[in-house]
Amino acid sequence: TPLPQLAKPHPMSVVLFGKVPPRPVDKRKYPRLGRAMKKLDGLVDQISESLGQSSEVFNLQLSEGKNAMVGRDGKLFIGVELLEERPDDDDFWVAVLGHEIGHQPWTWPSGNLAHLSRAQLNQLSREEEAKADAFAGRVLADLGADPDALCTFLLEAEKFEAGRLPAGYYPAPMRAEIIRKAFTARREMTRRVAQSFPEWTQRSRNLR
């Protein structure tokens, strides 16, 4: 599959889909995070396969702060503080990377969106976040991870922010529900496939 062409960010895409990218940091200054970054690289490979894309589309970049985001060019920004806080929380990172990769930035609109109202932009942003949350739920099921880590993180973060929820996001309880529903639906579908085609399922496992 040829790599998708990632266009340069349009200013409205920044407004619609995320904040200004955080400041990158030199990962050589954080040797203690080397093992964790290597693990994240492996997860990016596995999750990219779920989209039928090469992992080369995405590039991990350690950055300042306590957040994660994806850029229009496919760069995955991972905040140093966030990684230091949860270096071994595999379930959490499957969900976080699943969410960011699930944005599929090459599908974002590149035209001028200035004609849209703030309410319309907020709705597009909410739908984009819901799309990424649902993909994260499916990835969690595919990789045998637990959705609780990310759902709890979202709920606690919203509680901490106390009324400062960005207009472009659904409330944390709704986001957690989207993730859990997608996770449950994917796991149930996988179970039914395994029951209906046991030989094919076993062959697929052997190829991993």
Side-chain angles (χ1 to χ4, degrees):
T1 303
L3 299 183
Q5 297 299 308
L6 300 177
K8 292 182 179 180
H10 187 281
M12 291 306 295
S13 297
V14 176
V15 172
L16 184 57
F17 298 118
K19 302 172 184 176
V20 174
R23 189 190 304 273
V25 299
D26 187 346
K27 65 181 180 182
R28 292 174 297 183
K29 295 181 179 180
Y30 299 88
R32 62 189 179 277
L33 296 177
R35 178 174 169 273
M37 286 293 285
K38 187 174 181 179
K39 186 188 299 183
L40 296 192
D41 269 322
L43 289 176
V44 170
D45 289 345
Q46 293 181 70
I47 296 169
S48 298
E49 288 180 5
S50 297
L51 281 173
Q53 297 294 346
S54 165
S55 59
E56 294 176 18
V57 173
F58 301 100
N59 178 30
L60 279 176
Q61 172 65 63
L62 204 57
S63 60
E64 293 180 349
K66 193 178 179 179
N67 204 351
M69 69 168 289
V70 65
R72 180 63 178 262
D73 59 357
K75 188 167 289 184
L76 289 163
F77 295 92
I78 304 296
V80 169
E81 294 177 40
L82 187 62
L83 189 55
E84 287 182 322
E85 189 176 277
R86 297 168 174 263
D88 300 312
D89 193 342
D90 294 352
D91 290 342
F92 177 78
W93 287 109
V94 168
V96 168
L97 292 173
H99 174 92
E100 299 305 334
I101 290 172
H103 276 300
Q104 304 176 53
W106 58 87
T107 67
W108 291 350
S110 56
N112 193 333
L113 306 180
H115 63 286
L116 298 179
S117 68
R118 171 52 57 185
Q120 289 172 317
L121 287 172
N122 287 339
Q123 183 58 33
L124 280 175
S125 184
R126 282 190 290 269
E127 290 172 0
E128 175 66 24
E129 291 300 325
K131 176 189 81 176
D133 282 336
F135 182 78
R138 294 192 292 273
V139 165
L140 284 161
D142 288 345
L143 298 188
D146 192 318
D148 284 349
L150 180 61
C151 292
T152 300
F153 176 82
L154 293 173
L155 294 168
E156 289 179 351
E158 182 171 291
K159 192 183 302 181
F160 177 77
E161 289 294 329
R164 289 181 287 174
L165 179 72
Y169 285 81
Y170 283 120
M174 187 177 296
R175 295 188 63 191
E177 183 179 2
I178 291 170
I179 293 167
R180 292 186 192 282
K181 281 187 174 180
F183 171 82
T184 301
R186 184 68 154 215
R187 191 171 58 175
E188 178 60 21
M189 182 193 74
T190 302
R191 184 188 66 80
R192 274 189 242 152
V193 169
Q195 285 183 336
S196 301
F197 305 97
E199 293 182 5
W200 177 84
T201 303
Q202 186 59 49
R203 194 158 52 242
S204 297
R205 286 174 180 162
N206 293 337
L207 291 174
R208 292 179 182 178

